[in-house]
Amino acid sequence: MVTREGRAASVKDVAAAAGVSLGTVSNVLNRPDRVSASTRTRVQEAMAELGFVRNESARQLRAGTSRTLAYVMLDASNPFFTDVAQGIESAAEAADLSLVLCNSGNGAPREEAHLALLQQQRVQGVLVTPVNPESPVLEEVRRRGTPLVIVDRTRDDRSFCSVAVDDRLGGRLAVEHLVDRGHTKVAFIGGPIHLGQVRDRLEGARQAWAAAGLPEDDLVVLATEALDVQEGRNAGQRLSGLPTTRRPTAAFCANDLLALGLLQQAIGSGTRVPEQLAIVGYDDIVFASAAAVPLTSVRQPRQELGRTAAELVLDEATNDAHQHQQVLFTPELVARASTLDG
Amino acid sequence: MVTREGRAASVKDVAAAAGVSLGTVSNVLNRPDRVSASTRTRVQEAMAELGFVRNESARQLRAGTSRTLAYVMLDASNPFFTDVAQGIESAAEAADLSLVLCNSGNGAPREEAHLALLQQQRVQGVLVTPVNPESPVLEEVRRRGTPLVIVDRTRDDRSFCSVAVDDRLGGRLAVEHLVDRGHTKVAFIGGPIHLGQVRDRLEGARQAWAAAGLPEDDLVVLATEALDVQEGRNAGQRLSGLPTTRRPTAAFCANDLLALGLLQQAIGSGTRVPEQLAIVGYDDIVFASAAAVPLTSVRQPRQELGRTAAELVLDEATNDAHQHQQVLFTPELVARASTLDG
DNA sequence: CTGTCTGATTGAAAGGTTTCACTTCAACTC
DNA sequence: GAGTTGAAGTGAAACCTTTCAATCAGACAG
């Protein structure tokens, strides 16, 4: 019956309708075995009749805690982060928690607003890929009692749990691969250069370059303003502008979006990939393998990243003897047509 | 001070620390103008001192409603839906509500679980791109008092607000464009065929085909099992397998993921796009224009879709005289290199 | 028939915030 | 100086659920 008399039905209404006490209704909800079968069905019928929905606020107020985990994503439109979210979700599901996603869209104010709300909601824990991992806001969150784990970033002091992927190693793998294929002049494309990710990948690239005994100046750095497709195209134009003799024969891009932009610009301007320009991306998003020339890329264990982060935050939430730890995953190079001619 | 004595600080603690009554603390929180400046700062200092975080459950319990909107996405890894979510977010922000995202991952049980929890949380309203728009679960949600709007789908009866895009028109636009370019044998690629979207886009395609006076049989339907990249590749192989005389010179794909898969397979097997095979996609996701051969696609006003849906759900939540309405947006063809040679 | 045990049910308290009718007090008016 | 006004602050009630000690009814033993 749709008896909507202003407010929603409460346990009290259900109790009245079923002719039992309010404690019994609660028992039906939480410990059905303690209630006789006949009463139980009577109560359940009353609930259905009245369209009763348990009020989570009241429940939580009493219980003191929610059954929710939250992930504040840096950029919901980057497939990398949605994959991470899927990993988190699988761990949350296993722990019988539900996951809510928030999107900061790379904006610090939005991130702060989301974090404030999540604290107020007393979520069990927060996972976040922060705009700035060094921000004091993160400390504040934990100081106020909400467990927090940093995802795909690390903090210089080791004051938080974090999960990330070894970006230096990733950079090394990419450049070693290119060196193996005989390239002796390579461009690194990425930026802003102050981002931890970009810095580390470049550093790894330089290590591999030096290890191969190649002259430092032949690893050219093209700094970009963002890690998106448009910037990839721009970088491509800058490459095309170079005289042939000084033009790199391969490019290592700090993420796949850049690589896809570069690829597009290259093909559009008649450059053959990989014959004239080999390309390595980073992240191995689903669109990398679906590119017209399937992209060689450095794969990160995205789902596992998420899953592990969720497990850490749960440990922090439930285990008194919790120790912060910084988990570092190992990336893996996936070679495809964009570097493999013939 | 990190005085964590078991439980978090409450208004009562703050009141005691600041030497005021509990009502005053509440006033500082909700009507700061009614409190003298000196008391206000004293209370605020006490809050900072104790690391006070307002308990949203208690607030909501008292207020009866939350300041939250929710969107249950069909597939968080499809950029189309994250763009819709961004539109919703902008409307939510304007109304000073926050948005939580849930992902059903195309699974009915997950969708149901999310909907149940959102009702319990007494969210202001729910937006959902349902696995099955005809599901009785949706009626249940509304019957129990939570406003609900259907996004990017429609229901046959008009019992819900919904926002969608005119898929028949989209199909017509795509095929008209191909006919204009002189194609007389075209493949429609999409499926599962029972999906409303796919059905309507195909129907529009057929209308345009018939209107051009072309023989019905020359619009070939290749049914796929899903709308993803892999199925696009598969479809490409099926096309390649056809004898040249019977092979379509153009393909209209029911979404961009299919189109990208098809494009990849085509280029990989040496088919020149668009000279030997023109391709039209649908959705105009960001990766469409970034494809190696930029994809002609039917653009849907994704952000506006989300924004409008959010406005409708808010109207349903706040306006007693609310009337359900089905908003239908107009798609637009964006012509790019995948159909434009020369 | 008394006493004991068990399972089912009850009723009241607690949890943190907001609201609102009420009190207090200082400043002002005539 | 009696009376009025307004601003500032107070305190109890209400929101809905869960928990737990207490009660009840009936079965059973002695």
Side-chain angles (χ1 to χ4, degrees):
Chain A
M1 220 49 41
V2 195
T3 41
R4 179 143 317 293
E5 317 103 347
R7 55 180 195 69
S10 74
V11 273
K12 202 189 282 183
D13 302 323
V14 174
V20 297
S21 83
L22 162 167
T24 301
V25 178
S26 178
N27 280 335
V28 170
L29 250 22
N30 302 298
R31 301 176 209 71
D33 49 304
R34 297 216 189 143
V35 180
S36 71
S38 66
T39 322
R40 192 165 55 225
T41 56
R42 199 147 38 91
V43 170
Q44 283 163 341
E45 280 165 15
M47 286 179 174
E49 179 81 5
L50 297 172
F52 170 79
V53 178
R54 187 207 242 127
N55 185 324
E56 178 67 17
S57 299
R59 173 206 222 285
Q60 225 182 94
L61 175 57
R62 183 62 232 235
T65 174
S66 73
R67 302 293 300 160
T68 304
L69 229 51
Y71 177 38
V72 183
M73 299 199 262
L74 187 66
D75 175 9
S77 65
N78 184 338
F80 174 80
F81 293 112
T82 59
D83 286 351
V84 171
Q86 241 174 295
I88 297 172
E89 182 131 31
S90 73
E93 203 166 28
D96 197 30
L97 296 172
S98 56
L99 176 68
V100 306
L101 301 174
C102 305
N103 180 27
S104 73
N106 218 328
R110 279 253 295 265
E111 179 180 290
E112 276 190 49
H114 280 305
L115 288 175
L117 194 75
L118 293 170
Q119 289 175 80
Q120 291 176 12
Q121 292 175 341
R122 301 288 192 273
V123 294
Q124 287 256 311
V126 170
L127 307 169
V128 55
T129 301
V131 175
N132 167 19
E134 307 295 339
S135 162
V137 172
L138 305 182
E139 287 160 10
E140 270 302 292
V141 172
R142 196 175 47 208
R143 189 174 87 82
R144 293 180 172 164
T146 305
L148 185 149
V149 168
I150 297 177
V151 178
D152 194 44
R153 295 285 186 278
T154 49
R155 216 173 135 99
D156 290 342
D157 62 2
R158 314 196 135 212
S159 58
F160 283 89
C161 279
S162 63
V163 291
V165 182
D166 189 339
D167 284 316
R168 280 192 200 83
L169 175 55
R172 275 209 303 277
L173 290 175
V175 167
E176 279 167 6
H177 174 72
L178 290 173
V179 169
D180 282 353
R181 314 276 319 156
H183 295 281
T184 54
K185 192 159 186 81
V186 168
F188 173 87
I189 300 177
I193 216 75
H194 66 83
L195 283 184
Q197 319 275 294
V198 176
R199 218 176 39 216
D200 289 349
R201 289 170 196 176
L202 173 55
E203 195 180 313
R206 284 191 167 132
Q207 282 174 8
W209 196 251
L214 290 161
E216 202 177 322
D217 288 350
D218 288 347
L219 181 65
V220 185
V221 175
L222 286 189
T224 63
E225 288 175 15
L227 293 167
D228 58 26
V229 173
Q230 183 56 48
E231 282 291 304
R233 292 187 199 122
N234 295 347
Q237 294 207 307
R238 282 197 275 161
L239 275 187
S240 306
L242 295 176
T244 348
T245 50
R246 291 183 42 218
R247 196 182 299 161
T249 56
F252 167 38
C253 299
N255 83 357
D256 281 344
L257 301 182
L258 286 174
L260 288 172
L262 173 62
L263 174 64
Q264 180 193 3
Q265 195 280 335
I267 293 191
S269 70
T271 306
R272 276 174 298 130
V273 176
E275 293 82 357
Q276 296 174 280
L277 181 69
I279 302 179
V280 179
Y282 208 107
D283 284 348
D284 194 25
I285 63 175
V286 64
F287 299 102
S289 63
V293 179
L295 217 54
T296 294
S297 191
V298 178
R299 175 182 298 165
Q300 313 202 60
R302 301 182 288 267
Q303 303 232 357
E304 207 172 341
L305 209 63
R307 200 159 36 236
T308 307
E311 282 158 9
L312 284 176
V313 86
L314 286 179
D315 187 66
E316 185 164 342
T318 57
N319 178 0
D320 290 336
H322 173 81
Q323 296 279 328
H324 295 315
Q325 46 190 298
Q326 290 73 41
V327 177
L328 202 59
F329 282 101
T330 303
E332 181 189 355
L333 187 105
V334 183
R336 298 204 184 85
S338 74
T339 55
L340 305 176
D341 40 357
Chain B
M1 223 44 45
V2 196
T3 41
R4 180 143 316 294
E5 316 105 347
R7 54 182 193 70
S10 74
V11 273
K12 203 189 282 183
D13 301 325
V14 174
V20 298
S21 83
L22 164 167
T24 300
V25 177
S26 179
N27 280 336
V28 170
L29 249 23
N30 303 298
R31 300 175 211 72
D33 48 305
R34 296 213 190 146
V35 181
S36 74
S38 67
T39 323
R40 193 165 55 226
T41 56
R42 198 147 39 90
V43 170
Q44 283 163 342
E45 278 165 18
M47 287 179 173
E49 180 80 5
L50 297 171
F52 169 78
V53 178
R54 189 205 241 129
N55 185 324
E56 178 65 18
S57 298
R59 171 205 225 286
Q60 227 182 89
L61 176 57
R62 182 61 233 233
T65 175
S66 72
R67 302 294 300 158
T68 304
L69 229 50
Y71 176 39
V72 183
M73 298 200 263
L74 187 67
D75 175 10
S77 66
N78 185 338
F80 174 80
F81 293 112
T82 58
D83 284 353
V84 172
Q86 242 175 296
I88 298 172
E89 182 132 31
S90 73
E93 204 166 27
D96 198 29
L97 296 172
S98 56
L99 176 69
V100 306
L101 300 173
C102 304
N103 180 26
S104 74
N106 217 328
R110 280 251 294 265
E111 179 179 290
E112 276 189 50
H114 280 306
L115 288 175
L117 194 75
L118 293 170
Q119 289 175 80
Q120 291 176 14
Q121 292 175 340
R122 300 286 191 274
V123 294
Q124 286 256 311
V126 170
L127 307 169
V128 54
T129 301
V131 175
N132 167 20
E134 307 295 338
S135 162
V137 172
L138 304 183
E139 288 160 9
E140 270 303 292
V141 172
R142 197 176 47 209
R143 188 175 89 80
R144 293 181 173 164
T146 305
L148 185 150
V149 167
I150 298 177
V151 178
D152 194 43
R153 295 286 186 277
T154 49
R155 217 174 135 99
D156 290 341
D157 62 1
R158 315 195 134 213
S159 57
F160 283 90
C161 279
S162 63
V163 291
V165 182
D166 189 339
D167 284 317
R168 279 192 201 83
L169 175 56
R172 274 210 303 278
L173 290 175
V175 167
E176 279 167 7
H177 175 72
L178 291 174
V179 169
D180 283 352
R181 312 280 316 158
H183 295 280
T184 55
K185 191 157 186 83
V186 167
F188 174 87
I189 299 177
I193 216 75
H194 66 83
L195 283 184
Q197 320 274 293
V198 176
R199 218 178 37 219
D200 289 349
R201 288 168 197 178
L202 174 55
E203 195 180 312
R206 283 192 168 131
Q207 283 173 9
W209 197 250
L214 290 160
E216 201 177 322
D217 288 351
D218 288 349
L219 181 65
V220 186
V221 176
L222 285 189
T224 64
E225 287 175 15
L227 293 166
D228 57 25
V229 174
Q230 183 56 48
E231 281 292 304
R233 293 186 198 122
N234 296 347
Q237 295 209 306
R238 284 197 274 160
L239 274 187
S240 307
L242 294 178
T244 347
T245 50
R246 290 184 42 218
R247 196 182 300 161
T249 56
F252 167 37
C253 299
N255 83 357
D256 281 344
L257 301 182
L258 286 173
L260 289 172
L262 173 63
L263 174 64
Q264 181 193 2
Q265 195 281 337
I267 294 188
S269 70
T271 305
R272 276 174 298 133
V273 176
E275 293 82 355
Q276 295 173 281
L277 181 69
I279 301 180
V280 179
Y282 207 108
D283 284 348
D284 193 25
I285 62 177
V286 64
F287 298 102
S289 63
V293 179
L295 217 53
T296 294
S297 190
V298 178
R299 173 182 298 164
Q300 313 202 61
R302 301 182 288 268
Q303 303 230 359
E304 207 172 341
L305 207 65
R307 199 159 35 237
T308 307
E311 282 159 9
L312 284 175
V313 87
L314 286 178
D315 188 66
E316 186 165 341
T318 57
N319 178 359
D320 291 336
H322 173 80
Q323 297 280 327
H324 294 316
Q325 45 189 299
Q326 290 73 42
V327 178
L328 202 59
F329 281 101
T330 303
E332 178 190 358
L333 188 106
V334 182
R336 298 203 185 85
S338 74
T339 55
L340 304 176
D341 39 356

